[in-house]
Amino acid sequence: MAAETQPRAQARKPVLLSKIETSQELVNTAVIIPKEDGVISVSDDRTIRVWLKRDSGQYWPSVYHSMPVSCSCMSFNPETRRLSVGMDSGVVLDFILSEDYNKMTPAHTYQAHSSRVTAVLFVLEMEWLLSAAQDRTLCWHCTERGHLLGSHRTAAWVTRIQFDVETRHVFVGEQSGQVTIFKLDADTCSLVTTFKGHTGSVSALCWDSMQRVLFSGSSDRSIIMWDIGGRKGTAIELQGHNDRVQGLCYAPHTRQLISCGSDGGIVIWDMEVDRQETPEWLDSDSCQKCEQPFFWNFKQMWDSKKIGLRQHHCRRCGKAVCGN
């Protein structure tokens, strides 16, 4: 399955460069505008804001756009300045930002879903816009004509998506904790494989197309590195947060993974370090160390007059064990 790796604490700390004071409502997504002193944010206060750094050193909104409902997620492509915003209503909106980032022009409106949009992703090479929502549908649209190409119903809520242009594979993180890979064509979607490793919902995904590696973060506090390109099923588990993993970003030039969590922590992982895999997780009706029954093993619980325990797995040997 996966080797558990703990980060080594270092004395170096990130330096705060700027702080942007927004509304009191939750900011759902924020992205830095490359080659500009600017930030784009969407939040539950129903606004899209483009923040530019002024001569005073402070950030002020150059665009303040009010929406009819809350903005749940967004995707920004700096080459085309296309901003795609998912809404609580299930609608996805496309905007084009001006060169000076002082104006935002509507491009397309996609009546994509029937409930809150959880993820959007614009793929420039395909001219596709991918979206997913709590209605358990994955949709892909043509951004040239602004119409739906296809949709696929998933087994659980899709929480995060990533896309590989070379293979047309879409990586889908689900509320169930699994990561599913689909192959998309113009109007069809076919299942490739499913990865199971998290015990909580997938809350972050990051795809490195050069190394062919997928990183997934979860509400179970763990990060898993899935080696897609090696085709050996290699999976490495990283443990460094005390709460839900909120975001992942991979720096290919330094081979470092940056993760942040709800615990307020930021962890930088050196992915060049050799890590050792552990065996597959084993299943059993009783603890393979102390032989105590698990809670579903009614017969052994009755025979031994003992209360059943919850099943865990030893990350070193893979055995099914109790928490004692």
Side-chain angles (χ1 to χ4, degrees):
M1 172 53 191
E4 182 179 15
T5 304
Q6 300 284 347
R8 292 179 295 178
Q10 297 183 358
R12 292 186 302 169
K13 293 183 178 180
V15 177
L16 178 64
L17 297 178
S18 298
K19 184 178 180 180
I20 301 175
E21 297 290 346
T22 62
S23 68
Q24 299 298 317
E25 299 291 336
L26 176 67
V27 176
N28 290 314
T29 314
V31 296
I32 295 174
I33 303 173
K35 301 179 182 180
E36 297 280 346
D37 281 330
V39 174
I40 305 172
S41 65
V42 298
S43 65
D44 279 348
D45 67 356
R46 303 183 180 183
T47 65
I48 303 170
R49 307 189 196 193
V50 180
W51 306 83
L52 295 181
K53 193 173 184 180
R54 306 304 181 183
D55 293 338
S56 63
Q58 294 183 319
Y59 285 84
W60 291 93
S62 62
V63 173
Y64 184 102
H65 188 82
S66 296
M67 307 294 287
V69 295
S70 296
C71 308
S72 54
C73 55
M74 73 167 167
S75 173
F76 176 65
N77 181 266
E79 294 181 46
T80 60
R81 301 187 305 280
R82 179 184 294 272
L83 179 65
S84 306
V85 181
M87 311 294 292
D88 266 2
S89 60
V91 174
V92 179
L93 300 173
D94 258 355
F95 299 92
I96 302 298
L97 291 166
S98 61
E99 291 187 14
D100 60 3
Y101 291 97
N102 285 311
K103 184 180 180 182
M104 193 167 67
T105 305
H108 296 294
T109 299
Y110 305 94
Q111 303 291 338
H113 303 279
S114 59
S115 61
R116 178 184 175 94
V117 180
T118 54
V120 290
L121 181 65
F122 172 63
V123 183
L124 175 61
E125 295 83 353
M126 309 294 299
E127 291 288 343
W128 285 359
L129 178 66
L130 280 61
S131 65
Q134 291 181 353
D135 60 5
R136 299 186 181 184
T137 58
L138 170 69
C139 298
W140 56 108
H141 312 78
C142 172
T143 56
E144 288 184 300
R145 299 182 179 180
H147 68 264
L148 178 69
L149 291 173
S151 64
H152 178 79
R153 186 162 180 83
T154 57
W157 288 2
V158 176
T159 54
R160 294 292 183 270
I161 51 178
Q162 290 283 280
F163 188 78
D164 180 58
V165 175
E166 182 181 338
T167 60
R168 293 193 181 185
H169 286 171
V170 57
F171 306 98
V172 174
E174 299 180 4
Q175 189 193 33
S176 63
Q178 69 181 23
V179 179
T180 305
I181 303 179
F182 296 102
K183 182 177 176 60
L184 294 186
D185 289 310
D187 56 358
T188 60
C189 176
S190 55
L191 176 65
V192 177
T193 189
T194 299
F195 296 143
K196 297 180 180 179
H198 292 295
T199 58
S201 63
V202 176
S203 52
L205 276 183
C206 181
W207 169 244
D208 175 29
S209 59
M210 299 297 293
Q211 300 292 329
R212 316 295 296 172
V213 170
L214 180 70
F215 299 96
S216 61
S218 171
S219 60
D220 65 8
R221 309 176 184 181
S222 71
I223 300 167
I224 299 180
M225 183 193 79
W226 310 92
D227 185 4
I228 308 294
R231 298 185 179 181
K232 296 180 180 179
T234 305
I236 304 295
E237 182 175 339
L238 308 174
Q239 293 283 350
H241 290 282
N242 297 318
D243 206 336
R244 175 190 181 98
V245 179
Q246 288 287 87
L248 294 171
C249 182
Y250 183 69
H253 58 291
T254 59
R255 295 207 65 188
Q256 291 178 322
L257 176 69
I258 305 167
S259 63
C260 63
S262 296
D263 55 1
I266 299 174
V267 182
I268 300 176
W269 307 86
D270 183 1
M271 301 312 297
E272 287 190 327
V273 174
D274 291 333
R275 294 179 171 90
Q276 199 172 24
E277 273 204 300
T278 56
E280 291 285 339
W281 286 357
L282 303 176
D283 288 323
S284 175
D285 292 329
S286 58
C287 176
Q288 294 180 309
K289 287 191 174 181
C290 69
E291 298 184 352
Q292 289 264 28
F294 293 131
F295 64 84
W296 61 82
N297 191 347
F298 297 110
K299 184 178 185 305
Q300 187 177 346
M301 287 166 57
W302 176 264
D303 292 343
S304 62
K305 300 297 187 291
K306 292 181 180 180
I307 298 175
L309 303 175
R310 183 180 176 184
Q311 184 187 70
H312 300 272
H313 287 92
C314 175
R315 301 190 184 277
R316 295 185 179 276
C317 65
K319 289 184 178 179
V321 295
C322 64
N324 297 332

